[in-house]
């Protein structure tokens, strides 16, 4: 059973930066598709960024150029570096892994991800 534990959320002012971390455990596969999602109050959960075991990444349009997803395979830890944060980035951020862990296309579709962390809150004030 894949387990995911996020950390690194907090409150920052617009223009600031945060780095989210997600410690992953419970799997042995070297192939994976993992990602970061967010959900603001009253809105649907949306995919922010994904990364697969080949190193390919995808980004939601509003974060491209500001956010960077990466994974340290030695530490089994997924990261999301968030720069130039804006109030509209305020949301609960979730780490997720695809179920099954790998597929030819690592998309940001919520329905493709079956393993989720508990979430970490990011609040950006203007």
């Amino acid at each position: 059973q894949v387990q995911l534990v996020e950390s690194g959320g907090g409150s920052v002012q617009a223009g600031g930066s945060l780095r989210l971390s997600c410690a992953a455990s419970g799997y042995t596969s070297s192939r994976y598709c993992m990602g970061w999602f967010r959900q603001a109050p009253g809105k649907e959960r949306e995919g922010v960024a994904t990364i697969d075991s080949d190193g390919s990444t995808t980004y939601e349009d509003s974060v491209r150029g500001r956010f960077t997803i990466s994974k340290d395979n030695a530490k089994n830890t997924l990261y999301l570096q968030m720069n130039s944060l804006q109030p509209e980035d305020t949301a609960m951020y979730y780490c997720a892994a695809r179920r099954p862990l790998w597929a030819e296309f690592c998309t940001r579709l919520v329905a493709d991800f079956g393993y989720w962390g508990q979430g970490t809150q990011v609040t950006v004030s203007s």
Side-chain angles (χ1 to χ4, degrees):
Q1 182 75 2
V2 177
Q3 294 183 331
L4 305 168
V5 180
E6 302 101 331
S7 61
S11 297
V12 295
Q13 291 190 327
S17 298
L18 283 173
R19 188 176 82 156
L20 306 182
S21 299
C22 173
S25 62
Y27 69 97
T28 58
S29 173
S30 61
R31 308 197 78 179
Y32 58 81
C33 166
M34 299 182 71
W36 289 96
F37 293 74
R38 66 186 179 186
Q39 188 166 18
K43 294 188 176 181
E44 293 188 353
R45 190 169 298 187
E46 65 175 359
V48 175
T50 62
I51 186 168
D52 68 16
S53 45
D54 294 329
S56 296
T57 58
T58 74
Y59 293 94
E60 196 269 329
D61 286 346
S62 70
V63 307
R64 188 175 293 113
R66 300 188 298 122
F67 292 10
T68 302
I69 188 171
S70 62
K71 189 172 185 289
D72 185 330
N73 291 321
K75 296 182 179 180
N76 267 350
T77 301
L78 183 71
Y79 300 100
L80 185 68
Q81 178 66 45
M82 305 185 294
N83 299 329
S84 301
L85 283 161
Q86 300 301 316
E88 51 265 35
D89 295 316
T90 294
M92 185 71 79
Y93 283 71
Y94 298 90
C95 170
R98 201 185 186 283
R99 187 170 189 174
L101 271 175
W102 184 84
E104 183 176 0
F105 299 104
C106 184
T107 69
R108 296 190 304 279
L109 293 175
V110 173
D112 286 346
F113 289 76
Y115 301 104
W116 295 87
Q118 81 287 354
T120 185
Q121 178 68 36
V122 171
T123 302
V124 185
S125 58
S126 58

